[in-house]
Amino acid sequence: CDNSPEVVRWLRPAPQQFNITYNRGRRYEPDFVVETKDMYYLVEVKDKRRLEDIDVIAKKDRALQYCRIASDYNRANGHKEFRYLFIPHDEVSSNSSFNNLVKRFMA
């Protein structure tokens, strides 16, 4: 993110910054939030061996739902939409541009 010019800013969310729950109230916090000129992205980088894990899938489903609801609200109020990136850990490298990751892994 630091080396991708399309990234306006990014952050690692604070605990409980997002109110996203899964599996009967367990809290989910994305790894990163990235802002570009036109969009906000919730970003999850996950070990590729865990991509089919039941909890990982439940978190992904809830994050996608959050992005739909937040995007609907933001569109209605003149703000940027949210999208979710679900990235296998071995696909991230120091020369990965954020735009390339978006094209390859937007859920």
Side-chain angles (χ1 to χ4, degrees):
C1 288
D2 289 330
N3 297 325
S4 292
E6 64 275 10
V7 173
V8 174
R9 72 190 99 205
W10 67 276
L11 63 85
R12 185 167 185 93
Q16 302 182 357
Q17 185 168 351
F18 287 87
N19 187 21
I20 304 173
T21 59
Y22 71 102
N23 291 355
R24 297 179 215 149
R26 293 179 68 186
R27 296 194 67 81
Y28 166 66
E29 296 166 10
D31 291 332
F32 303 99
V33 179
V34 177
E35 180 183 4
T36 65
K37 179 181 170 222
D38 302 318
M39 194 77 58
Y40 296 113
Y41 294 90
L42 298 185
V43 180
E44 183 71 24
V45 179
K46 193 57 70 185
D47 186 317
K48 73 176 184 175
R49 295 169 295 196
R50 296 196 58 220
L51 297 180
E52 300 301 322
D53 181 88
I54 293 171
D55 279 346
V56 170
I57 293 169
K59 292 175 188 180
K60 178 182 177 183
D61 290 343
R62 292 295 290 159
L64 286 165
Q65 181 182 25
Y66 178 91
C67 287
R68 282 191 299 275
I69 292 168
S71 289
D72 289 346
Y73 177 85
N74 280 4
R75 250 189 325 276
N77 291 283
H79 302 290
K80 299 176 190 181
E81 295 183 29
F82 276 83
R83 293 289 180 258
Y84 184 63
L85 294 181
F86 188 69
I87 306 171
H89 79 285
D90 61 340
E91 296 291 336
V92 178
S93 66
S94 60
N95 64 349
S96 299
S97 78
F98 187 72
N99 275 346
N100 186 11
L101 293 171
V102 168
K103 288 176 188 170
R104 293 176 59 211
F105 299 107
M106 191 161 59

